[in-house]
Amino acid sequence: MNTSIINEPQLLVTVSDPTMLTKLKNAIKMMNGVSSISISISIMRPKKTGLELAEEDKAKGRVTQWNSVDEMFDTVLGE
């Protein structure tokens, strides 16, 4: 990609059929004025819930224990 040109317009195309990527790329390359083509495939993952994140923290040992609620608040509040 030519990085010396600033503010080059870009066209983003979302394709539902991944088998069409090569054909679309070749067709776009034939158009005048196209300087580069890049393909980005992203996998959408569902966002983890708070419970899932907490279970992951527990499994990886990212936990803290206190002997009492007062000790926890002292730590959390920085007293």
Side-chain angles (χ1 to χ4, degrees):
M1 180 159 56
N2 184 355
T3 56
S4 63
I5 299 175
I6 300 174
N7 294 329
E8 258 187 319
Q10 296 181 347
L11 171 66
L12 174 66
V13 179
T14 304
V15 180
S16 61
D17 182 1
T19 61
M20 294 298 296
L21 284 176
T22 305
K23 291 179 181 176
L24 284 169
K25 183 178 177 180
N26 291 335
I28 293 170
K29 271 195 230 180
M30 293 189 305
M31 299 174 75
N32 290 334
V34 174
S35 59
S36 70
I37 297 175
S38 62
I39 295 176
S40 173
I41 299 173
S42 62
I43 299 170
M44 298 296 289
R45 294 183 186 100
K47 189 173 182 179
K48 291 183 182 181
T49 64
L51 178 60
E52 290 170 327
L53 292 170
E55 289 172 342
E56 185 179 291
D57 285 342
K58 179 184 171 194
K60 293 185 178 183
R62 297 185 297 237
V63 295
T64 304
Q65 286 186 315
W66 292 279
N67 294 321
S68 69
V69 174
D70 291 331
E71 184 182 347
M72 179 198 71
F73 278 115
D74 287 345
T75 304
V76 171
L77 298 175
E79 295 177 5

